[in-house]
Amino acid sequence: MSNVIRNPRNGCALHGALQTVQEINGVVPVVHANAGCGVINYLANGGASSGTAKYSGFSVPGTAAQERHVIFGGASRLREQIKNTIKVVNGDLYVILNSCESAMVGDDVDAMTKEIVEQGEPVVDTLIAGFNGGTHYGYEHVLTDILKSIDNVKKSEYQKNSKLVNIFGIIPGKDPYWQGNLDEISRILEGVGLQANVIFGATGSYEDLSNAKNAALSIVFSRWGEQPAKLLEEKFGIPRVIRPSLPIGVEGIKELVASIKDVIQLDEDKLLSFIQKEEIYEKNLLRRVRDEIIENGLSKKAVIVGDEEQVIRIGGFLTEKLGVEITAAVLTDALKKDEEHETQNDELLKHISNNVYKSVDQKDINDIIRGSKPEVIFASALETRVASKLDKPLVEISYPIVDKLIIGKTTVGVKGLVTIIEDYFTVNREFENAKRDRLVKELKNETGNNQWYEKEDSYSRVRSNKGLYIRKQEFSVSNG
Amino acid sequence: MAEKIGKHIAIYGKGGIGKSTTTSNISAALAEAGYRVIQIGCDPKSDSTNTLRGNNYLPTVLDSLREGNKIHLDDISVKGFGGVLCIESGGPVPGVGCAGRGINAAVNLLQELNLFEEFKPDYVLYDVLGDVVCGGFAVPIRDGITDRAYVVSSSDFMALYAANNLFKAINKYAPTGGAKLGGVIANSMKPGYHREIVEDFVAKTGTSIAGYVNRSIDVQQSELYGKTVIEAKPNSAQADIYRNLAKYIAENENLVVPNPLGSAELRDWARNWGDRIYDIESGVVGVAEAI
């Protein structure tokens, strides 16, 4: 029986491909679809941190196909659009993105691409249609398709670089912290003597796509990075390391480095020195917040909602380091049956929570959250309502995050660990404060204003001290 | 939806089975009897109404749509024999685009142009191409556009297979207001067991025969003259066959929802007939005994 899926947080394969391509400097997407297909991705991703790429949102070149292009075929319209785009938009590489209607009608997109390539223009295409899968599928397959054909249109030297490491599996936009996370991964790899080929964002570019074949290694940080890494392994013999998640904290970094060392050699001195520095940094920062963690009782019961990688990374950290008990975890990118990927994280997930669910249906997710009786919720902006109804704090860690500006912040490595603690602490404190303010207001109404003013004054005086003391004070007031 | 003006009839059948010839002769016979008739060819080949209009050029609805200019009824229709209003939906060139969507768009456009309010037809015949291969080709029997469909079929297995597919489509859409089946027009009938095959098929599927059209040189000859039999050979026996068929279709109100055969059922049914035909052809048994 069919069900309504409320607030499915993932778009179609075209959306995934578009939000992937638009975040590569120098790459211009050309969408062969009706006008809404490209724009709706922009509108859906309308958080403060997305849609910032040069050719994104309303600026994406597209064929804006109409009914006549469906009936009579849209290939010639596509040809026209590619030529016009090349004329008016400077790009180092143009990527043609296909759509459902073009796929159903059977437009010969390949022939159009070939024709333009023969004229010396750097154009590649992907034939995946929106209905082939979700956002994550779009990321994985557009990247694979570009890597498959980029050598035919952008001639580049084939010269192995023993330090270069391809980074796959971090989906721009789907990981709200993708830019900061790529930066942090780059910093970590540089720290151990390697060089990250990040492709996306502020430090990546189309050249990284050409350069991917020269890498010594590909690291796959979520199942959605497997295919491009596999292609490079088959085509250029580049080994791949498949990680269940991005690293968090020094321990995460150590595990990552150990898996890299299994495949390529690292400079041991450099490695030791880097790890030592990270350890000192982590210890120092954690020491500063140790008391706050204990005093604020952060070892709560929690529910976590996010993509598998995020659940493993952040959920793992919360349980192991903060003593959080995860009563339920919801994976928002999991397929019911995944035969395309090797990644198998069931055992790992069991250690994070006894109750792991796969769902993108808001109703399911809300029911799971309610049923799991959490004291805190780690999820997305879509869980704001259920958190508010349950009167529990919500720490936003997964897509979509709407009201928080995220540009370069990271949730990876030692810095990421700090970010999570900072956010958790702040949200928790704000929640407690708001709760206390509500209580004060209620008491005001009950006791009458005059009587309360005196108490409020004494209350204000202690307000600057520890939160714990404030709560005691509240208790005595409410009983008085 | 506003009350329908005239009876709207869809005629389906496998490609090359004689749909356009049959439809045009029915239109001509109805016009001859004094009715106002529109024939709409729903086929990218756009040759449905050729014999009604002496093979004269007629721009198709979709050609006009492609130009993007404002379309007037006069641009896309022409009066043919007996005042039959001829319209061709047209479509993309073979191998490109989506003909199914084309039919959908053409039919929608005709409604927007108030074709039926303007012309006030007694009968509108939709000559729909080939098999019901996708949703687009089912448009004339969906959405209340027609309320009755006929299928032209010979006794060949592939023609009956296409008829069975139409039955499946009718079966699917009839409960939500789609067209019902008026009957099977048994075309290209030759002497022998051919009638019996079609009769057995309609019995199995709970449908009926609307009429038998024998294979005739008059049809071929008239087509070569660019005319319908009604126009070219009005006194022939074949013209009367078409007149009777037209009368039946005009008056028939016995519309049914067919029970299409399942794939295995249809295959077994055909195999069974294969055995019987072999026996008849090789003289083991006579036609009557075989049946």
Side-chain angles (χ1 to χ4, degrees):
Chain A
M1 198 178 139
S2 54
N3 288 315
V4 173
I5 299 178
R6 258 176 66 193
N7 293 350
R9 61 198 71 203
N10 299 319
C12 68
L14 169 62
H15 291 171
L18 180 57
Q19 72 190 64
T20 299
V21 167
Q22 72 188 17
E23 298 297 352
I24 308 173
N25 280 322
V27 177
V28 178
V30 180
V31 176
H32 182 32
N34 67 344
C37 285
V39 169
I40 204 159
N41 180 48
Y42 175 64
L43 298 175
N45 283 350
S49 337
S50 60
T52 50
K54 195 171 176 188
Y55 297 108
S56 66
F58 301 109
S59 316
V60 173
T63 51
Q66 294 172 5
E67 188 171 44
R68 64 174 181 272
H69 303 119
V70 173
I71 298 169
F72 301 109
S76 50
R77 173 73 193 92
L78 175 61
R79 176 198 283 130
E80 181 188 31
Q81 187 59 39
I82 301 172
K83 284 183 175 170
N84 289 345
T85 304
I86 292 171
K87 264 187 217 161
V88 297
V89 177
N90 283 331
D92 297 300
L93 181 72
Y94 300 84
V95 179
I96 315 301
L97 303 175
N98 209 15
S99 64
C100 300
E101 61 197 54
S102 146
M104 278 195 287
V105 170
D107 283 343
D108 199 350
V109 175
D110 266 347
M112 292 302 111
T113 306
K114 203 174 158 214
E115 190 183 300
I116 307 281
V117 168
E118 278 168 4
Q119 291 166 21
E121 301 293 354
V123 182
V124 296
D125 66 37
T126 176
L127 296 184
I128 54 168
F131 50 59
N132 282 136
T135 310
H136 304 78
Y137 178 100
Y139 160 86
E140 184 172 29
H141 285 263
V142 76
L143 210 46
T144 311
D145 285 353
I146 295 173
L147 291 171
K148 250 182 218 169
S149 44
I150 191 163
D151 278 347
N152 303 331
V153 297
K154 294 294 271 189
K155 299 284 174 231
S156 66
E157 231 173 299
Y158 180 58
Q159 196 174 18
K160 276 279 169 205
N161 178 346
S162 62
K163 305 280 181 212
L164 193 67
V165 177
N166 294 321
I167 306 298
F168 294 124
I170 305 173
I171 306 178
K174 269 290 148 194
D175 177 353
Y177 295 89
W178 66 274
Q179 176 66 68
N181 288 350
L182 281 174
D183 292 346
E184 187 58 12
I185 280 294
S186 300
R187 193 188 69 84
I188 293 168
L189 291 178
E190 262 171 47
V192 299
L194 297 171
Q195 181 194 341
N197 195 38
V198 293
I199 304 171
F200 303 101
T203 55
S205 82
Y206 80 96
E207 282 173 348
D208 295 357
L209 291 165
S210 297
N211 232 350
K213 63 176 178 295
N214 296 324
L217 176 72
S218 295
I219 308 180
V220 176
F221 285 110
S222 79
R223 67 177 63 223
W224 305 105
E226 277 189 26
Q227 297 299 327
K230 198 173 171 190
L231 173 84
L232 293 174
E233 185 176 58
E234 286 165 2
K235 219 169 155 188
F236 301 103
I238 300 170
R240 60 200 165 118
V241 164
I242 296 182
R243 301 290 309 153
S245 77
L246 286 155
I248 189 160
V250 174
E251 276 187 30
I253 296 173
K254 281 183 184 167
E255 284 170 18
L256 169 65
V257 171
S259 62
I260 296 174
K261 271 170 66 180
D262 286 344
V263 186
I264 55 173
Q265 262 198 334
L266 292 175
D267 179 338
E268 285 294 332
D269 292 343
K270 201 166 187 177
L271 177 67
L272 273 176
S273 147
F274 176 77
I275 297 285
Q276 263 174 9
K277 277 184 195 161
E278 293 294 296
E279 271 173 341
I280 292 167
Y281 189 78
E282 182 176 298
K283 254 185 201 164
N284 191 297
L285 293 181
L286 283 181
R287 193 181 300 130
R288 285 198 237 164
V289 292
R290 193 177 50 200
D291 290 351
E292 298 287 353
I293 292 171
I294 297 164
E295 280 186 9
N296 283 277
L298 294 187
S299 307
K300 294 177 189 289
K301 281 186 178 177
V303 170
I304 185 165
V305 181
D307 284 357
E308 183 184 47
E309 184 278 319
Q310 293 152 359
V311 166
I312 291 173
R313 171 163 46 101
I314 297 167
F317 162 69
L318 292 172
T319 50
E320 285 165 26
K321 293 290 177 191
L322 296 189
V324 169
E325 183 195 342
I326 301 207
T327 51
V330 185
L331 312 180
T332 50
D333 63 336
L335 302 169
K336 282 206 173 112
K337 199 174 175 190
D338 186 355
E339 290 175 339
E340 203 176 23
H341 299 108
E342 293 168 24
T343 302
Q344 173 52 265
N345 291 325
D346 289 356
E347 279 304 312
L348 200 54
L349 285 159
K350 268 186 207 162
H351 289 291
I352 291 167
S353 177
N354 289 329
N355 305 302
V356 179
Y357 303 89
K358 299 174 180 179
S359 180
V360 287
D361 181 357
Q362 194 68 60
K363 187 184 175 301
D364 274 0
I365 294 172
N366 288 355
D367 287 348
I368 292 165
I369 293 174
R370 276 193 207 99
S372 308
K373 303 199 173 1
E375 293 164 310
V376 56
I377 299 161
F378 292 85
S380 76
L382 293 173
E383 281 68 41
T384 307
R385 204 177 150 94
V386 67
S388 152
K389 281 196 169 175
L390 293 176
D391 197 19
K392 300 295 170 201
L394 168 69
V395 187
E396 292 181 341
I397 51 127
S398 59
Y399 173 89
I401 296 178
V402 180
D403 294 326
K404 193 158 69 174
L405 185 62
I406 303 163
I407 301 176
K409 220 173 176 187
T410 181
T411 50
V412 157
V414 177
K415 286 185 177 169
L417 170 147
V418 172
T419 305
I420 304 278
I421 296 175
E422 282 172 351
D423 283 1
Y424 182 15
F425 179 89
T426 308
V427 166
N428 191 57
R429 174 59 69 84
E430 281 173 358
F431 176 81
E432 294 293 342
N433 286 349
K435 203 171 174 180
R436 186 198 53 214
D437 288 350
R438 267 202 324 267
L439 186 70
V440 166
K441 214 174 168 185
E442 279 167 23
L443 280 168
K444 247 182 179 180
N445 292 339
E446 275 175 26
T447 55
N449 285 345
N450 290 339
Q451 196 188 346
W452 176 251
Y453 283 138
E454 280 171 38
K455 286 178 180 172
E456 192 177 38
D457 284 342
S458 67
Y459 163 79
S460 302
R461 279 198 298 278
V462 293
R463 190 175 185 152
S464 56
N465 292 333
K466 293 279 183 190
L468 207 66
Y469 184 51
I470 293 168
R471 281 202 297 279
K472 278 179 188 165
Q473 195 72 12
E474 271 174 16
F475 188 69
S476 67
V477 170
S478 61
N479 280 338
Chain B
M1 189 178 232
E3 201 180 324
K4 218 179 271 144
I5 299 168
K7 276 188 182 172
H8 290 241
I9 303 161
I11 297 186
Y12 280 82
K14 176 184 168 291
I17 207 67
K19 284 183 306 297
S20 297
T21 308
T22 310
T23 311
S24 298
N25 276 295
I26 294 169
S27 291
L30 289 170
E32 189 189 53
Y35 295 112
R36 291 175 68 77
V37 182
I38 303 176
Q39 180 167 328
I40 304 171
C42 299
D43 187 333
K45 290 204 306 294
S46 56
D47 58 359
S48 165
T49 58
N50 272 4
T51 54
L52 284 168
R53 53 187 165 83
N55 283 338
N56 288 330
Y57 172 70
L58 172 64
T60 70
V61 179
L62 290 178
D63 280 345
S64 312
L65 197 73
R66 180 170 15 199
E67 305 297 325
N69 300 326
K70 185 161 171 51
I71 302 167
H72 302 280
L73 269 180
D74 293 347
D75 304 334
I76 49 156
S77 63
V78 68
K79 279 190 183 164
F81 173 77
V84 176
L85 193 71
C86 303
I87 294 172
E88 296 285 353
S89 78
V93 295
V96 180
C98 180
R101 180 63 213 171
I103 290 178
N104 209 331
V107 171
N108 287 344
L109 186 70
L110 292 175
Q111 285 176 338
E112 280 169 31
L113 292 174
N114 292 329
L115 167 68
F116 310 119
E117 289 81 356
E118 299 269 328
F119 191 77
K120 296 187 176 52
D122 298 306
Y123 294 97
V124 184
L125 277 76
Y126 299 77
D127 175 13
V128 192
L129 91 164
D131 207 337
V132 191
V133 287
C134 73
F137 299 105
V139 164
I141 56 164
R142 257 172 28 197
D143 306 331
I145 290 170
T146 63
D147 60 4
R148 57 200 68 203
Y150 287 83
V151 60
V152 180
S153 178
S154 69
S155 60
D156 291 343
F157 176 69
M158 290 317 291
L160 291 167
Y161 181 86
N164 196 56
N165 278 351
L166 174 72
F167 294 174
K168 284 181 183 172
I170 291 177
N171 201 280
K172 177 175 170 53
Y173 292 118
T176 51
K180 291 182 179 176
L181 189 82
V184 175
I185 300 169
N187 198 32
S188 302
M189 287 293 106
K190 287 180 281 191
Y193 48 81
H194 297 275
R195 276 190 182 213
E196 282 75 15
I197 293 180
V198 182
E199 278 166 5
D200 191 28
F201 177 71
V202 300
K204 285 271 185 308
T205 52
T207 56
S208 58
I209 306 264
Y212 296 96
V213 181
N214 294 331
R215 189 171 272 282
S216 158
I217 189 132
D218 290 337
V219 177
Q220 210 176 353
Q221 205 179 6
S222 306
E223 282 211 324
L224 291 170
Y225 294 151
K227 289 178 176 165
T228 57
V229 178
I230 303 287
E231 185 183 6
K233 300 195 161 222
N235 300 321
S236 63
Q238 194 70 15
D240 281 341
I241 288 177
Y242 284 124
R243 286 187 187 107
N244 288 337
L245 181 61
K247 190 168 184 296
Y248 179 86
I249 287 174
E251 292 169 359
N252 179 31
E253 289 302 330
N254 180 27
L255 306 174
V256 299
V257 178
N259 302 315
L261 299 176
S263 305
E265 223 180 336
L266 187 63
R267 205 174 44 237
D268 292 345
W269 174 84
R271 182 168 294 141
N272 186 267
W273 265 102
D275 293 344
R276 291 199 218 173
I277 288 171
Y278 179 81
D279 290 346
I280 297 165
E281 292 283 347
S282 57
V284 178
V285 291
V287 176
E289 290 166 78
I291 297 155

